[in-house]
């Protein structure tokens, strides 16, 4: 008797054990229940509270809150800055990941550690470092405090690792023989990158870009100092929400937070759809 037949006879099927295919065991059901409960307590319940608070005064109250001149200015600036930072990170992050994987140079291990510093550094400390370097008394003679460029710089700092760490493993696992085959068939370096490498890393780039956008959209600590919170100029949505909370206007704060949540969900869903289609074509 073959080994496969012996295994088939020794291992009862799901029907023989009294379970239908796809039915969860007791341990799996318990794990799923704990996961759903934990997710509900940490994510779903707080989101539900925020959304319900945003609509306490009805749809008209929500609309008035998010179309307030100050709120609308903060939202526009925040979303625009987040999109710009995401685009820059998609290009520069991919380039850095390529250099780290494909090139060898002195100080490479140090650079690997430096890239992860924004993950470990408290964001308010990052803001303090930025105003020390690019403030009125900075060593470079560049004052970015109270400017939109300063806010974008702060967001670039805190979102740097996302695309790099998303693309890096894909490049490490990429099949170099495909690139060599393309080169042997006469493809130029640019053609090889466009037709072979780019389709491979695009899903990872989009994944890192989604994380970068979400982080930039809700960033507070690193931008609160360098932005100087100038109304209508450098005020970001997170600082406007804090202002509304301190002014005892929780409905307005929740309304802006809900709108930002909706924007983030839409962008993440769009990027996820593009990522899946790109992965299928690849």
């Amino acid at each position: 008797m073959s080994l496969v037949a012996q295994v088939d006879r020794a291992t009862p099927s799901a029907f023989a054990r009294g379970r239908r295919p796809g039915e969860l065991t007791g341990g799996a059901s318990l794990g799923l229940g704990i996961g759903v409960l934990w997710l509900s307590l940490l994510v779903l319940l707080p989101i539900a509270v925020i959304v319900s608070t945003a609509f306490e005064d009805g749809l008209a109250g929500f609309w008035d809150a998010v179309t307030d001149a100050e709120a609308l200015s903060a939202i526009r600036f925040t979303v625009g800055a987040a999109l710009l930072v995401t685009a820059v990170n998609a290009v520069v992050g991919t380039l850095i990941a390529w250099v780290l994987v494909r090139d060898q140079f002195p100080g490479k291990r140090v650079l690997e550690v430096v890239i992860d510093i924004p993950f470990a550094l408290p964001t308010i400390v990052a803001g303090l470092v930025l105003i020390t370097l690019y403030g009125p008394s900075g060593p470079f003679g560049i004052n970015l405090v109270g400017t939109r460029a300063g806010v974008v710089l702060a967001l670039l700092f805190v979102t740097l690792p996302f695309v790099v760490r998303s693309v890096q493993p894909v490049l490490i696992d990429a099949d170099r023989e495909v690139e060599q085959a393309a080169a042997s068939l006469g493809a130029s370096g640019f053609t090889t990158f466009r037709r072979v490498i780019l389709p491979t890393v695009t899903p990872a780039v989009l994944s890192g870009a989604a994380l970068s956008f979400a982080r930039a959209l809700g960033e507070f600590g690193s931008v609160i100092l360098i932005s100087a919170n100038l109304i209508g100029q450098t005020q970001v949505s997170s600082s406007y929400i804090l202002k509304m909370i301190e002014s005892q206007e929780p409905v307005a704060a929740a309304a802006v937070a809900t709108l930002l949540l909706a924007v983030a969900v839409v962008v993440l869903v769009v990027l996820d759809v593009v990522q899946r289609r790109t992965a299928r074509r690849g």
Side-chain angles (χ1 to χ4, degrees):
M1 183 181 298
S2 67
L3 179 60
V4 175
Q6 295 179 26
V7 173
D8 288 341
R9 292 186 58 183
T11 306
S13 65
F15 291 102
R17 293 193 298 268
R19 295 201 309 272
R20 294 186 298 273
E23 184 178 352
L24 296 176
T25 63
S29 300
L30 178 62
L32 178 61
I34 294 175
V36 171
L37 176 61
W38 190 252
L39 179 65
S40 301
L41 292 175
L42 291 182
V43 180
L44 299 181
L45 184 59
I47 289 177
V49 171
I50 291 174
V51 174
S52 63
T53 303
F55 289 94
E56 277 188 4
D57 297 336
L59 185 59
F62 173 83
W63 181 255
D64 291 340
V66 297
T67 55
D68 176 79
E70 184 178 347
L72 200 56
S73 175
I75 293 170
R76 285 174 176 171
F77 174 56
T78 303
V79 174
L83 290 173
L84 175 60
V85 166
T86 301
V88 173
N89 278 332
V91 177
V92 179
T94 303
L95 177 62
I96 294 175
W98 177 274
V99 171
L100 290 175
V101 172
R102 297 297 178 91
D103 296 337
Q104 297 295 330
F105 53 89
K108 179 178 177 179
R109 293 186 179 274
V110 176
L111 183 58
E112 289 271 10
V113 175
V114 170
I115 290 174
D116 290 329
I117 287 180
F119 281 148
L121 192 67
T123 54
I124 192 67
V125 177
L128 180 61
V129 171
L130 289 175
I131 64 172
T132 302
L133 294 176
Y134 304 105
S137 304
F140 304 118
I142 301 175
N143 184 12
L144 296 180
V145 175
T147 66
R148 296 192 171 193
V151 175
V152 171
L153 179 64
L155 295 179
L156 285 172
F157 175 80
V158 298
T159 59
L160 169 66
F162 290 107
V163 174
V164 176
R165 293 313 186 196
S166 297
V167 175
Q168 203 170 356
V170 178
L171 288 175
I172 292 175
D173 295 335
D175 189 358
R176 300 290 295 274
E177 293 181 357
V178 179
E179 300 174 33
Q180 295 171 359
S184 66
L185 293 174
S188 64
F190 177 75
T191 301
T192 302
F193 175 80
R194 182 173 59 88
R195 300 294 297 273
V196 177
I197 300 173
L198 188 59
T200 302
V201 302
T202 295
V205 173
L206 293 176
S207 177
L211 295 174
S212 178
F213 178 80
R215 174 65 183 273
L217 200 64
E219 180 59 26
F220 177 78
S222 64
V223 300
I224 191 63
L225 295 178
I226 199 168
S227 70
N229 200 26
L230 300 179
I231 298 175
Q233 299 181 39
T234 60
Q235 185 183 45
V236 295
S237 297
S238 55
S239 62
Y240 175 81
I241 291 172
L242 176 62
K243 178 182 177 180
M244 291 297 100
I245 294 174
E246 292 176 342
S247 302
Q248 303 299 318
E249 297 185 35
V251 175
V256 174
T258 301
L259 181 59
L260 290 178
L261 175 64
V263 171
V265 169
V266 169
V267 172
L268 293 178
V269 169
V270 170
L271 289 177
D272 182 67
V273 171
V274 176
Q275 176 186 1
R276 291 176 184 274
R277 290 182 177 180
T278 304
R280 284 200 297 267
R281 285 198 301 266

